[in-house]
Amino acid sequence: MKILVFIHSLAGGGAQRAMINIMNHLDKNRFEIVLVHGNDQVNDYSGYIDENIVRISFQARSKRLRHSFLQLRKIIVQEKPDLIFSTVGGSNILASFVNATIFRNIPMVVREANYRSESKEITKYGKFMTWFAYNLLADVVISISESVKEDLVHNFHIRPEKIRSIYNLVDIRLIDKLKMEKLEDQVEEKDIKKIVAVGRLVEQKDYPTLLSAFQ
């Protein structure tokens, strides 16, 4: 079974890393995986992708997602996948609309990894496009938690029967390997308490509240 996975960017984010974990752990004896992504200018996770996964990158003239429509359609027509799987809101919408123009009835699975109502970037147009793509074009919507599912249902009016909540997997073996690496830039200071916060520096992560809590 050939699965075409689409994600526009491999920049360092949680959704991208989770998608790579999923691809790497699929049974390669049962599934042939083709990863389609944007140009290689920002490619933080390239070294983590299984060597058995075929990769196709766009030679995009622009970084804008919508300019990838024709390129993605051409690749899908050429690859003839049995299933299309995408993640991240913009990639999901684009892949759903592209698939609808091919008329091959390829099953479409989209994965929503973000509580998008809190992203501060959702417009009325974006909500409508999400509603249209997820309800009318996608076959299944995967949410990474029950709260993300509730957000999709209540704020984007996605039909709850289309949504399946599947939490992110954890690659224990990789973690065990990486935890042994020495951190060259660590400075040991006695009697200093260290608090680590991990996340992108964006409004949605709300670091001001975190810093106030620390204080």
Side-chain angles (χ1 to χ4, degrees), residues 14-73:
Q16 289 84 351
R17 185 54 185 271
M19 199 69 158
I20 290 172
N21 279 340
I22 292 170
M23 291 188 295
N24 286 348
H25 288 83
L26 287 174
D27 186 348
K28 303 306 185 298
N29 293 317
R30 296 177 56 197
F31 303 105
E32 177 186 354
I33 304 169
V34 177
L35 170 62
V36 181
H37 59 88
N39 61 55
D40 281 330
Q41 292 178 359
V42 180
N43 202 348
D44 299 320
Y45 289 142
S46 180
Y48 293 101
I49 299 173
D50 190 297
E51 61 183 12
N52 293 312
I53 295 172
V54 176
R55 291 174 56 184
I56 302 174
S57 62
F58 294 147
Q59 302 301 317
R61 291 170 294 178
S62 170
K63 293 182 180 180
R64 288 186 176 275
L65 181 61
R66 63 175 177 267
H67 295 162
S68 303
F69 189 100
L70 294 178
Q71 292 186 73
L72 179 59
R73 188 182 190 281

Side-chain angles (χ1 to χ4, degrees), residues 200-212:
R200 291 175 295 124
L201 290 174
V202 295
E203 184 179 11
Q204 184 185 16
K205 303 303 182 183
D206 196 14
Y207 282 103
T209 297
L210 192 63
L211 293 171
S212 297

